[in-house]
Amino acid sequence: ENRQELTVYRHAPQFVPAGQSTQMIIGATPETDFQIMQVTEALYQKFELKRVFYSAFVPVNEDKALPVKTDSGPPLLREHRLYQADWLLRYYQFHVDELLDEENPNFNVLMDPKCDWAVRHLEEFPIEVNRADYHMLLRVPGIGYRSASRIVKARRLGTVDFADLKKMGVVLKRALYFITCSG
């Protein structure tokens, strides 16, 4: 009877069909964004998590064991930057060590992580949208994964210009500084 039970479960998936997720509380402990994102990337790669959620720490009472309340409130902008970076890991083929490192362990509060990466790698730009590969298009601020796909498909039919990009959903206000169209 035990042997039959084992064979029934042998081919069962390791995780539930819908996938696993987890949540991290941000700001309760002194971890850097780099450390948090390293854990996030490892969770995606090693455990195939579907999603990591981030929540800004909000103290509900005072206790010596809890972090001290600050006048600046919960770190909501930090939470937002972590979500943006998480999106880059999951959909834009970025790796944590491209976004942050030991010298720059926290995200820029003035720019989103993708734009910050682009500004720090100006040697890669401008790219020609009519020749750049999908992977490089994904790295341009203002071009999302759907727009990058549309650009690659549209190039099969002819040359893409700025008007076409706008119709494809590219945010030209952001992308304009990093791209060229036919020179």
Side-chain angles (χ1 to χ4, degrees):
E1 203 174 327
N2 280 343
R3 181 179 279 169
Q4 188 178 12
E5 280 184 35
L6 290 175
T7 57
V8 170
Y9 297 112
R10 180 178 296 160
H11 301 290
Q14 188 173 6
F15 293 112
V16 292
Q20 296 278 35
S21 65
T22 192
Q23 181 175 13
M24 293 188 198
I25 306 301
I26 306 305
T29 55
E31 286 85 13
T32 64
D33 294 344
F34 183 49
Q35 291 168 320
I36 291 167
M37 293 311 297
Q38 283 179 312
V39 169
T40 298
E41 187 173 57
L43 290 170
Y44 285 136
Q45 290 175 352
K46 293 178 184 172
F47 299 105
E48 299 178 11
L49 257 62
K50 293 290 182 193
R51 190 73 195 274
V52 175
F53 293 93
Y54 309 93
S55 293
F57 174 70
V58 179
V60 291
N61 56 13
E62 291 184 32
D63 189 303
K64 288 183 210 173
L66 294 174
V68 179
K69 284 185 182 181
T70 61
D71 292 336
S72 61
L76 296 175
L77 179 58
R78 183 178 185 202
E79 175 187 315
H80 183 62
R81 293 285 182 247
L82 290 167
Y83 272 115
Q84 289 172 322
D86 184 90
W87 197 262
L88 294 178
L89 296 180
R90 290 187 297 132
Y91 297 107
Y92 289 78
Q93 303 170 4
F94 276 86
H95 296 283
V96 173
D97 56 1
E98 294 177 282
L99 301 172
L100 298 168
D101 55 32
E102 293 293 335
E103 287 101 43
N104 299 305
N106 293 304
F107 290 114
N108 186 332
V109 294
L110 302 175
M111 284 187 270
D112 68 83
K114 187 177 183 183
C115 189
D116 185 56
W117 178 88
V119 168
R120 287 185 292 111
H121 293 87
L122 289 174
E123 70 278 1
E124 303 280 340
F125 300 103
I127 64 160
E128 172 56 53
V129 294
N130 288 293
R131 288 193 306 270
D133 67 358
Y134 177 77
H135 179 73
M136 195 58 201
L137 288 169
L138 285 177
R139 291 172 177 261
V140 176
I143 297 180
Y145 63 92
R146 286 189 187 125
S147 300
S149 234
R150 290 176 185 149
I151 291 168
V152 171
K153 287 176 187 171
R155 292 188 311 203
R156 295 179 195 149
L157 304 173
T159 304
V160 176
D161 63 17
F162 287 110
D164 297 327
L165 293 175
K166 191 168 182 84
K167 289 176 192 169
M168 290 178 204
V170 172
V171 182
L172 283 177
K173 187 166 79 172
R174 297 176 56 96
L176 199 57
Y177 304 100
F178 304 99
I179 61 172
T180 59
C181 288
S182 301

